[in-house]
Amino acid sequence: RVAVVGAGVSGLTATKCCLDEGLEPTCFEQSQDIGGLWRYTEHIEAGRPSLYPSVISNTSKEMSAFSDFPYPENFPVFLPNARLLDYLRLYTEHFGLRKHIKFGTTVVSVRKRPDFATTGQWDVVTEADGKQTSHIFDAIMVCSGNFSEPSLPLHSFPGIEKFQGQYFHSRQYKHPDVFQGKRVLVVGMGNSGVDIAVEASRVAKKVTICTSRGAWLFGRVFDHGYPWDMCFNTRFMSLIRNSLPGPLSRALINYRVNQWFSHENYGLKPEQSCQMREPVLNDDLPSYILTGRVTIKPGVKEFKDNSVVFHNCPEEEPVDIVVFCTGYNVSFPFLEETVVKVENKHASLYKYVFPTHLQKPTLAVLGLIKPLGGIMPVTEMQARWVTRVFKGFCQLPPQSVMEKEVNERKKNKVKWFGLSFDEVLKIDCLVYMDKLASLIGAKPSVLGLLCRDPRLALTIFFGPCSPYQYRLGGPGRWEGARQAILTQWDRTLKPTRTRVLAGSSSS
């Protein structure tokens, strides 16, 4: 019996993977519906992620589908949050997941049983309608996400206590009306910060983004108008990126990201360009900077009563509203700290999934990772691996080996483009997915396919690394995987080629 905590993206696929392996899942969801982060509500609910109505997925539908359930072909290429929720509902219905979900049920505590060393079992206490219930589970899959507890480090902003204007965390943002005619400062250069700044600039008097580190900026619309991730996340490109020595890698990434526009000219170039942060996805920001609707400034030095002073800028900037886009803390309030220890927004987990010190590998954390690509295929692959470990088909290495890998990652030795990450949760999703797929025997063999099915092999190597590749063989093999791979561009172009001229080329 497996307890799944949360019915968002990770919880749904965890429940489905349990069923695939003949396990008995019970999914506990504290709200009254599925969707997690992707279910928009006008009011902010405690303990739940909160998004603004204009949120659109940063990854295309073909690259963020579950591996045995492609999106309907008429869905747009990048999904508004309501359409993504529609997809999750279709997935839930198709695989019969809803009957395994207990809605309106909060997980209060998860504790080891007294005989944990021999059984690996857990005592779970849940609460529904004010009544608490105790359960015994053989395994736990934690799918509660990490977008519920905002990180607002006010101590890092001298003078904020004197500031007489309004300030709030991006989690509280819903509509741009609040910025009407105001002078707005957005602190932080992540995806939310840029989205909010662009939206605010349509109604505000002035909008400034301040960033101490800068960021590389990608557009969803990439080479020749194709989705960025279908061009970027290919096996061929990954091989090049991860094979080149450091200096060549730096030259490649500088050239690639500056093809669209010069980041230095727009004040966006990262301070340490040798460190690759998660790129920001936004198609509008360069033109908004060019037309003066958004201004980029360095980090905040201090706040005054009605203004702000930036580093290396002597003059004060008048400000009415400050939006702190400073990320989220990772927390598991229902777990003891001895089970999953969180330090500096980072949990010490083997392959970002398993605590390294448990006598029995019967608790796993899913989705606590930031891939440069779709989160859905990644959490699904994690769930496929975890359920195989629970069943005993896959073994974890000794504790010392797991701890060594975690400590290496803490030292920022994770490589991508031959460069060091400055944040440990960022991963090259293709390399990571291949590692997990190898553990369960589902990694596709391009060389093997080259003999049997050269068309498919070439599509897999040079084309997008879409999730269906991991259903061609091994446990969980799906008969429709080959066809899904060969028709992925058809589904991508279907919703955009709505005016086709006579004699047009085929997709």
Side-chain angles (χ1 to χ4, degrees):
R1 298 180 65 232
V2 182
V4 179
V5 184
V9 165
S10 300
L12 292 174
T13 194
T15 304
K16 191 257 184 188
C17 289
C18 283
L19 295 172
D20 288 348
E21 290 292 348
L23 301 169
E24 188 184 319
T26 304
C27 180
F28 298 106
E29 170 55 46
Q30 66 178 10
S31 70
Q32 297 298 331
D33 201 357
I34 64 163
L37 172 69
W38 292 102
R39 183 165 59 81
Y40 172 77
T41 52
E42 186 60 37
H43 58 287
I44 298 167
E45 299 174 24
R48 260 203 77 227
S50 173
L51 51 75
Y52 37 99
S54 58
V55 167
I56 295 174
S57 68
N58 282 336
T59 51
S60 65
K61 65 178 182 179
E62 289 304 303
M63 301 297 278
S64 52
F66 291 120
S67 60
D68 54 358
F69 194 71
Y71 279 82
E73 62 177 15
N74 62 321
F75 273 44
V77 181
F78 289 94
L79 289 303
N81 59 79
R83 299 307 297 275
L84 207 148
L85 182 59
D86 289 342
Y87 171 74
L88 295 178
R89 293 198 197 288
L90 291 171
Y91 181 77
T92 302
E93 184 183 334
H94 182 78
F95 292 109
L97 307 181
R98 193 171 282 273
K99 61 176 177 278
H100 299 280
I101 305 172
K102 292 187 181 297
F103 293 106
T105 307
T106 302
V107 175
V108 178
S109 72
V110 175
R111 301 282 183 268
K112 292 179 187 174
R113 302 211 78 217
D115 57 356
F116 179 84
T118 52
T119 65
Q121 290 183 325
W122 301 84
D123 283 318
V124 178
V125 177
T126 60
E127 185 174 312
D129 300 323
K131 180 186 171 188
Q132 291 198 348
T133 311
S134 296
H135 319 258
I136 297 172
F137 282 97
D138 300 305
I140 312 289
M141 298 175 84
V142 178
C143 306
S144 50
N146 60 321
F147 293 104
S148 302
E149 189 182 301
S151 170
L152 189 53
L154 294 178
H155 60 273
S156 303
F157 299 94
I160 189 66
E161 68 283 350
K162 296 183 292 187
F163 181 62
Q164 293 177 6
Q166 182 185 358
Y167 66 84
F168 56 87
H169 189 272
S170 57
R171 182 173 186 265
Q172 294 172 269
Y173 171 73
K174 292 290 180 184
H175 303 284
D177 315 0
V178 66
F179 303 127
Q180 188 74 47
K182 305 284 189 183
R183 293 165 298 192
V184 181
L185 172 65
V186 175
V187 178
M189 186 90 208
N191 285 302
S192 295
V194 172
D195 281 354
I196 292 170
V198 165
E199 273 196 16
S201 70
R202 294 169 188 148
V203 296
K205 184 176 181 181
K206 183 176 184 183
V207 174
T208 303
I209 300 176
C210 73
T211 171
S212 54
R213 295 189 293 181
W216 297 122
L217 191 74
F218 282 3
R220 290 183 179 87
V221 183
F222 214 61
D223 296 345
H224 309 292
Y226 294 121
W228 75 272
D229 50 355
M230 293 183 80
C231 302
F232 191 83
N233 283 335
T234 71
R235 293 187 177 279
F236 174 65
M237 290 301 297
S238 178
L239 184 67
I240 293 174
R241 288 198 297 265
N242 292 296
S243 302
L244 291 176
L248 271 177
S249 298
R250 281 190 283 279
L252 173 67
I253 189 157
N254 272 285
Y255 169 75
R256 196 67 190 83
V257 297
N258 285 301
Q259 272 187 304
W260 184 17
F261 67 94
S262 166
H263 282 63
E264 190 169 1
N265 290 348
Y266 282 65
L268 296 173
K269 185 178 178 180
E271 199 167 273
Q272 293 176 289
S273 58
C274 65
Q275 289 189 325
M276 182 61 195
R277 293 181 63 215
E278 177 186 21
V280 174
L281 267 291
N282 194 281
D283 292 286
D284 299 318
L285 184 62
S287 65
Y288 278 51
I289 294 172
L290 209 55
T291 53
R293 295 164 81 170
V294 176
T295 306
I296 307 295
K297 291 280 189 177
V300 171
K301 185 177 181 183
E302 68 171 320
F303 283 96
K304 301 291 181 98
D305 290 354
N306 297 293
S307 62
V308 64
V309 180
F310 300 107
H311 287 289
N312 307 320
C313 297
E315 67 277 3
E316 294 180 19
E317 180 100 16
V319 173
D320 301 310
I321 297 181
V322 181
V323 186
F324 286 100
C325 301
T326 44
Y328 292 84
N329 295 318
V330 176
S331 68
F332 305 101
F334 48 87
L335 286 177
E336 293 175 307
E337 198 174 273
T338 53
V339 176
V340 178
K341 190 171 185 182
V342 177
E343 296 176 299
N344 301 321
K345 300 186 182 182
H346 171 61
S348 297
L349 300 168
Y350 176 64
K351 302 272 187 237
Y352 300 90
V353 175
F354 282 103
T356 57
H357 58 280
L358 296 179
Q359 298 104 315
K360 299 280 185 181
T362 56
L363 181 138
V365 179
L366 271 63
L368 190 60
I369 194 165
K370 295 181 180 177
L372 182 54
I375 187 69
M376 290 185 197
V378 174
T379 57
E380 181 190 41
M381 185 59 75
Q382 288 178 332
R384 290 174 68 186
W385 176 47
V386 166
T387 50
R388 302 287 288 175
V389 171
F390 288 170
K391 291 271 285 188
F393 295 146
C394 293
Q395 304 294 325
L396 297 186
Q399 181 178 338
S400 58
V401 175
M402 294 194 286
E403 286 180 349
K404 184 181 178 187
E405 182 186 297
V406 170
N407 290 332
E408 285 293 305
R409 199 167 68 229
K410 277 184 184 174
K411 293 177 197 168
N412 293 335
K413 292 288 172 69
V414 180
K415 298 291 183 181
W416 187 59
F417 281 105
L419 317 170
S420 298
F421 274 122
D422 61 344
E423 293 176 65
V424 287
L425 287 182
K426 306 292 195 299
I427 53 118
D428 183 328
C429 63
L430 201 160
V431 173
Y432 179 72
M433 295 259 287
D434 273 357
K435 279 181 185 169
L436 295 194
S438 297
L439 294 173
I440 65 171
K443 182 185 172 185
S445 166
V446 178
L447 286 176
L449 281 170
L450 203 54
C451 305
R452 302 193 310 273
D453 193 339
R455 181 188 174 201
L456 182 63
L458 294 172
T459 304
I460 284 174
F461 186 69
F462 290 105
C465 186
S466 47
Y468 325 118
Q469 295 190 11
Y470 299 103
R471 292 283 180 179
L472 288 167
R477 183 175 179 273
W478 174 47
E479 288 295 334
R482 180 182 187 276
Q483 183 63 14
I485 293 167
L486 297 178
T487 56
Q488 58 197 0
W489 283 110
D490 297 331
R491 287 188 300 280
T492 300
L493 295 175
K494 170 84 173 178
T496 61
R497 289 171 66 99
T498 51
R499 174 181 170 267
V500 182
L501 303 179
S504 294
S505 64
S506 71
S507 58

